[in-house]
Amino acid sequence: MSANQSDLRVGFVGLGIMGQAMAGHLLAAGHPLRIYNRTRSKGDALVERGAMWCDTPAEVAASSDVVITMVGFPSDVEQVWLGAEGILKTAQKAVLIDMSTSSPALAQELAAEALKRGCVALDAPVSGGDVGARDAKLSIMVGGDEAAFSRVLPVLQLMGTNIAHAGAAGAGQHTKMCNQVVIASTIMGVSEGLAYAKSAGLDPERVLQTIGSGAAGSFQLNVLGVRIVKGDFAPGFFIEHFLKDLGIALSEAERMGLELPGAGLARKLYEQLAARGLSRQGTQALYCHYVQE
């Protein structure tokens, strides 16, 4: 890798709600950037700013020192890494970073496959949603080779402020599961608290101002709670993706012999919202389970 970090050629695959902003920070820092997304139009703004469009993930990886993937589901990760036109077909001596939320087992598999091809893979899921991605303040949880982590840390620092090496391959994904388990019960509490405020005839904005600076304060309350009060259920993070995450977490918990009743209830409630056609709303739409707007 180049000694000058800004000379590192970076590839980015997956330009969704968070990926577009994350890739934009890399471009703004001066990195030569190659991009790919299934829907090409989502890359137009980055191309206008100087990014190079590629027609396949393999084309992205062929000329990149660092390749980042940020896609929705484990099946998408498998496709962009292991598919016929995946990044492992062409990557050479690169650090490959999956920043999607996926399964720990898949992260371990990708790390092994990358080594066979002379590359190093890191699993580096993130937390912070659209706001964290836009403001470059994501929390990034990294599993995999520590030396590779150190080499790409300056790149990760362009997208996040709380970046930690969690351990071997898969540890980043396990840490993200801890994050999602905590969020599951927290967003239920936020929704129930605001539903209570509405039923009691309180001013919900005043309630948020009052309790948001106390022990109840959190991102879920102080950011998503504000959106709930405004009736804004647009996605910073899709319900369908959170359901995927909860499925992974509960599956891992079952494998470990651990019961997670809060996460289990959250999944049940979100499944009910998905059945109502709300799977592409933001996770704060859980409030709609308690209060019919």
Side-chain angles (χ1 to χ4, degrees):
M1 285 192 180
S2 168
N4 186 346
Q5 285 291 333
S6 65
D7 289 341
L8 285 177
R9 301 169 300 171
V10 181
F12 206 105
V13 176
L15 303 172
I17 292 173
M18 297 173 67
Q20 286 191 45
M22 294 161 69
H25 296 314
L26 303 176
L27 190 61
H31 286 286
L33 185 69
R34 290 167 171 78
I35 59 173
Y36 169 81
N37 191 71
R38 284 182 299 190
T39 303
R40 179 165 182 164
S41 60
K42 290 186 177 180
D44 289 348
L46 292 168
V47 170
E48 289 176 4
R49 291 170 55 190
M52 178 182 296
W53 175 262
C54 296
D55 290 325
T56 65
E59 186 180 342
V60 169
S63 300
S64 296
D65 302 305
V66 178
V67 182
I68 296 169
T69 57
M70 184 66 175
V71 295
F73 294 87
S75 58
D76 298 320
V77 175
E78 290 188 59
Q79 182 63 32
V80 300
W81 281 64
L82 303 172
E85 297 179 325
I87 63 175
L88 285 176
K89 292 293 184 182
T90 57
Q92 300 179 37
K93 298 181 180 179
V95 178
L96 312 175
I97 311 171
D98 182 32
M99 302 187 78
S100 321
T101 298
S102 185
S103 75
L106 179 56
Q108 292 166 351
E109 177 186 351
L110 296 179
E113 290 298 320
L115 282 177
K116 294 177 184 177
R117 293 163 171 79
C119 298
V120 180
L122 301 175
D123 50 291
V126 304
S127 180
D130 59 333
V131 175
R134 184 189 66 220
D135 296 341
K137 293 183 177 179
L138 292 168
S139 292
I140 306 176
M141 307 149 237
V142 187
D145 181 77
E146 190 165 8
F149 165 73
S150 297
R151 291 202 302 274
V152 300
L153 181 57
V155 174
L156 297 177
Q157 288 172 330
L158 297 172
M159 299 176 283
T161 53
N162 181 19
I163 305 167
H165 184 254
Q173 296 295 353
H174 275 304
T175 304
K176 180 60 183 290
M177 291 304 108
C178 298
N179 184 82
Q180 301 306 73
V181 168
V182 171
I183 287 175
S185 290
T186 305
I187 192 62
M188 283 194 295
V190 170
S191 298
E192 291 181 5
L194 290 176
Y196 184 102
K198 180 180 177 68
S199 296
L202 302 176
D203 179 343
E205 291 186 2
R206 183 169 296 176
V207 169
L208 283 178
Q209 292 169 2
T210 302
I211 70 174
S213 59
S218 67
F219 177 91
Q220 302 302 312
L221 182 70
N222 297 330
V223 176
L224 296 189
V226 171
R227 295 184 187 182
I228 289 171
V229 168
K230 292 179 178 178
D232 177 7
F233 302 114
F237 191 69
F238 289 118
I239 284 174
E240 64 182 14
H241 289 167
F242 196 48
L243 276 170
K244 174 261 296 182
D245 295 353
L246 289 175
I248 294 170
L250 289 165
S251 177
E252 288 293 318
E254 182 179 9
R255 182 183 61 80
M256 295 184 289
L258 177 65
E259 185 178 358
L260 300 176
L265 176 57
R267 178 170 67 172
K268 179 180 178 181
L269 298 181
Y270 276 116
E271 285 173 343
Q272 292 174 7
L273 290 180
R276 290 168 51 186
L278 300 178
S279 64
R280 299 287 287 178
Q281 293 292 298
T283 51
Q284 71 273 22
L286 184 63
Y287 177 76
C288 299
H289 174 80
Y290 299 94
V291 175
Q292 298 297 321
E293 291 290 289

